[in-house]
Amino acid sequence: EKHRLANCYADLGTVYQLEQKNSLALKNFQKAVDLESNNPRFLDLLLKISIILEDKNLALQVFNALKKANPDNQKLNEIKDQINQIKGQG
């Protein structure tokens, strides 16, 4: 049941992102991660939206969680570079 709910939040977040409603997308991706904190798909969605919103602190936090949940992810270095390009905190 928790997994289905988390998937619904992730799907809703994706719809909001497609509609350029990134702050609503962020909230839904956060809810999905709150329910399943080690799910690489949800972490990836949250990480991408935090980069889009240029929230460097959140991006770094989610990056570390994704690295722990999915250490074999081939895109980790590329993602880290994107985070480093965000101006501001972090």
Side-chain angles (χ1 to χ4, degrees), residues 20-38:
Q20 304 298 310
K21 296 178 180 175
N22 291 331
S23 61
L24 291 172
L26 174 69
K27 288 178 185 172
N28 282 279
F29 294 149
Q30 285 175 317
K31 288 178 183 178
V33 169
D34 286 345
L35 289 169
E36 291 195 10
S37 60
N38 291 321

Side-chain angles (χ1 to χ4, degrees), residues 11-22 25 29 49:
D11 291 344
L12 185 56
T14 301
V15 171
Y16 280 131
Q17 190 172 0
L18 290 171
E19 293 179 347
Q20 304 298 310
K21 296 178 180 175
N22 291 331
F29 294 149
I49 198 71

Side-chain angles (χ1 to χ4, degrees), residues 4 8 10-12 15 25 27 34 36 45 48 52-53 55 57-58 70-71 77-78 85 88 90:
R4 279 184 41 212
C8 288
D11 291 344
L12 185 56
V15 171
K27 288 178 185 172
D34 286 345
E36 291 195 10
L45 290 167
K48 285 178 181 167
I52 289 169
L53 292 170
D55 186 333
N57 288 331
L58 178 60
N70 187 9
N77 287 335
E78 179 184 325
Q85 290 175 13

Side-chain angles (χ1 to χ4, degrees), residues 22-23 25-27 29-30 43-64 79-90:
N22 291 331
S23 61
L26 174 69
K27 288 178 185 172
F29 294 149
Q30 285 175 317
L43 289 167
D44 187 60
L45 290 167
L46 181 56
L47 183 54
K48 285 178 181 167
I49 198 71
S50 66
I51 291 171
I52 289 169
L53 292 170
E54 297 187 345
D55 186 333
K56 192 169 191 171
N57 288 331
L58 178 60
L60 287 169
Q61 183 181 339
V62 178
F63 174 83
N64 289 328
I79 293 167
K80 183 70 168 173
D81 289 341
Q82 291 175 354
I83 294 169
N84 288 335
Q85 290 175 13
I86 299 172
K87 308 234 183 306
Q89 302 298 313

